[in-house]
Amino acid sequence: MNDAIKKVLAPHALEAKNVKHYQLENILQQAKDAPPVATAVVHPVDFNSLEGALEAAEASIITPIFVGPEKKIRAVAAENQLDLKDYQIIDTEHSHQAAEKAVEMARLGQVHALMKGKLGTSELLGAVVSRTGGLRTERRLSHVFIMDVPSYHKTLFITDAAINIAPNLLDKRDILQNAIDCAHALGVDLPKAAILSAVEKVKPHIQSTLDAAALCKMVDRGQITGALVDGPLAFDNAISKEAAEDKGINSPIPGDVDILAAPDLESANMFAKQLQYLANAKAAGIVMGARVPIILTSRAAKPLERLSSCAVAVMVARKMGRLV
């Protein structure tokens, strides 16, 4: 691991409880091969968001530009003995103005990623999706957890656990394509995606199974590209080849899946957090579908997760052509 990253993580080493998270550490190393991303840190007026941005800057992953009330930002830094060095601060009156200003900077190419500080997710994303001056694309926004589960042999991409509450079929198409694009940015050339439901058979009275079947046909028709996709699959059938074989499922996905696409936000959020709290998983988090990646970490995120989220943003921005 890079010495700068080791220095940032060293005070928090006990958090890992001797569990290694090689997948996220590998992402951090990949990010070091790219230049730091100019990142607008939106309304960082609390310790966690300010410290997280400074940690990523010290590790040479991002170059932060702090957007928010300058007096509050400097007060938090002074209170917690955080060194703001000579990083630029763009003064705004409040969080709403900070979000609008950060989005404007991204639209003008002055920053290549956004990082959420102490403001509501809906407030930040509201500025992003604004029809007048936002960062909209033809794709719907969606969230991707990039998860390092010690008991699993590769990185898991779980979506969507944070934005789309009850996505319809076309929403799910965008959610899946966003996750595929994220996997590509991290070097997974042909990710294997499972469209999850409670069962592995198409059932007319279970809408998620119908959506899964339609999504697989959309892959056949080129409406979704860049991945091997199967579904519906129950969670055990996606993760365990043995469980799939017991059900008579013949597919390259089970046991080697990269992307787990949940039927709705509630199920995705619950099983992602179960992996974190019961299986010692660590997770980076990012929002895809806008003109720049958006770093969206929980207030409870640990240093490795915050750094990894920034690293994912570097890789995604580079893949999008935001960096050379």
Side-chain angles (χ1 to χ4, degrees), residues 269-292:
N269 191 283
M270 284 187 280
F271 78 71
K273 289 180 178 175
Q274 285 167 357
L275 290 173
Q276 289 175 289
Y277 285 90
L278 295 178
N280 288 314
K282 296 293 184 184
I286 193 166
V287 174
M288 301 285 293
R291 288 167 59 182
V292 300

Side-chain angles (χ1 to χ4, degrees), residues 212-261:
L215 289 167
C216 290
K217 182 51 66 176
M218 293 171 89
V219 173
D220 294 341
R221 296 290 186 265
Q223 293 172 269
I224 299 168
T225 61
L228 298 177
V229 181
D230 198 1
L233 290 172
F235 183 83
D236 57 338
N237 298 329
I239 291 293
S240 169
K241 186 173 180 63
E242 181 180 2
E245 289 174 346
D246 288 344
K247 291 289 186 71
I249 299 171
N250 182 19
S251 168
I253 308 300
D256 198 40
V257 67
D258 298 284
I259 297 170
L260 297 172

Side-chain angles (χ1 to χ4, degrees), residues 40-44 66-69 90-107 111 113-130 132-135 292 294:
V41 186
V42 187
H43 204 248
F66 300 110
V67 185
I90 295 179
D91 189 30
T92 66
E93 292 185 16
H94 43 67
S95 59
H96 188 71
Q97 187 180 37
E100 291 182 339
K101 181 61 179 178
V103 166
E104 178 188 7
M105 293 170 66
R107 193 173 63 253
V111 297
L114 303 180
M115 185 175 185
K116 177 179 173 287
K118 190 182 180 183
L119 77 168
T121 298
S122 60
E123 186 173 14
L124 175 58
L125 297 186
V128 170
V129 301
S130 170
T132 56
L135 298 170
V292 300
I294 302 166

Side-chain angles (χ1 to χ4, degrees), residues 194-217:
I195 313 301
L196 297 181
S197 183
V199 295
E200 70 281 353
K201 294 182 179 180
V202 177
K203 301 279 188 178
H205 57 287
I206 303 179
Q207 184 61 44
S208 60
T209 69
L210 300 177
D211 289 346
L215 289 167
C216 290
K217 182 51 66 176

Side-chain angles (χ1 to χ4, degrees), residues 260-324:
L260 297 172
D264 54 36
L265 181 147
E266 291 172 307
S267 56
N269 191 283
M270 284 187 280
F271 78 71
K273 289 180 178 175
Q274 285 167 357
L275 290 173
Q276 289 175 289
Y277 285 90
L278 295 178
N280 288 314
K282 296 293 184 184
I286 193 166
V287 174
M288 301 285 293
R291 288 167 59 182
V292 300
I294 302 166
I295 303 161
L296 196 66
T297 52
S298 164
R299 288 185 295 272
K302 299 296 188 288
L304 176 61
E305 296 169 303
R306 295 198 297 253
L307 283 177
S308 300
S309 297
C310 293
V312 171
V314 169
M315 304 307 293
V316 169
R318 192 175 194 181
K319 187 72 173 180
M320 293 171 69
R322 305 289 301 192
L323 303 170
V324 294

Side-chain angles (χ1 to χ4, degrees), residues 8-289:
V8 171
L9 294 180
H12 312 281
L14 292 178
E15 294 172 353
K17 299 180 181 178
N18 297 319
V19 174
K20 295 294 184 182
H21 290 89
Y22 298 108
Q23 313 295 343
L24 292 188
E25 290 176 4
N26 182 55
I27 291 170
L28 287 172
Q29 286 300 109
Q30 289 184 68
K32 295 297 294 182
D33 295 333
V37 169
T39 301
V41 186
V42 187
H43 204 248
V45 296
D46 68 331
F47 173 72
N48 282 346
S49 58
L50 195 57
E51 182 197 38
L54 290 171
E55 285 176 340
E58 185 174 346
S60 299
I61 296 172
I62 68 170
T63 300
I65 299 174
F66 300 110
V67 185
E70 184 170 359
K71 288 184 179 179
K72 288 186 178 181
I73 294 171
R74 293 196 180 279
V76 170
E79 181 182 349
N80 294 282
Q81 298 181 319
L82 299 175
D83 185 3
L84 295 176
K85 298 184 179 180
D86 58 352
Y87 294 123
Q88 184 179 2
I89 299 176
I90 295 179
D91 189 30
T92 66
E93 292 185 16
H94 43 67
S95 59
H96 188 71
Q97 187 180 37
E100 291 182 339
K101 181 61 179 178
V103 166
E104 178 188 7
M105 293 170 66
R107 193 173 63 253
L108 295 175
Q110 297 168 353
V111 297
H112 305 303
L114 303 180
M115 185 175 185
K116 177 179 173 287
K118 190 182 180 183
L119 77 168
T121 298
S122 60
E123 186 173 14
L124 175 58
L125 297 186
V128 170
V129 301
S130 170
R131 294 188 181 277
T132 56
L135 298 170
R136 297 169 69 100
T137 68
E138 76 285 352
R139 195 90 56 78
R140 188 173 182 84
L141 296 186
S142 61
H143 181 271
V144 183
F145 270 130
I146 300 91
M147 302 204 74
D148 185 331
V149 186
S151 58
Y152 194 65
H153 65 285
K154 63 200 300 191
T155 304
L156 279 175
F157 299 80
I158 295 177
T159 193
D160 175 356
I163 295 179
N164 294 282
I165 297 171
N168 61 32
L169 177 60
L170 294 182
D171 296 337
K172 290 180 179 181
R173 177 197 61 188
D174 287 353
I175 290 168
L176 179 56
Q177 190 66 64
N178 284 341
I180 293 168
D181 290 353
C182 184
H184 288 170
L186 298 186
V188 185
D189 294 331
L190 189 64
K192 298 175 180 178
I195 313 301
L196 297 181
S197 183
V199 295
E200 70 281 353
K201 294 182 179 180
V202 177
K203 301 279 188 178
H205 57 287
I206 303 179
Q207 184 61 44
S208 60
T209 69
L210 300 177
D211 289 346
L215 289 167
C216 290
K217 182 51 66 176
M218 293 171 89
V219 173
D220 294 341
R221 296 290 186 265
Q223 293 172 269
I224 299 168
T225 61
L228 298 177
V229 181
D230 198 1
L233 290 172
F235 183 83
D236 57 338
N237 298 329
I239 291 293
S240 169
K241 186 173 180 63
E242 181 180 2
E245 289 174 346
D246 288 344
K247 291 289 186 71
I249 299 171
N250 182 19
S251 168
I253 308 300
D256 198 40
V257 67
D258 298 284
I259 297 170
L260 297 172
D264 54 36
L265 181 147
E266 291 172 307
S267 56
N269 191 283
M270 284 187 280
F271 78 71
K273 289 180 178 175
Q274 285 167 357
L275 290 173
Q276 289 175 289
Y277 285 90
L278 295 178
N280 288 314
K282 296 293 184 184
I286 193 166
V287 174
M288 301 285 293

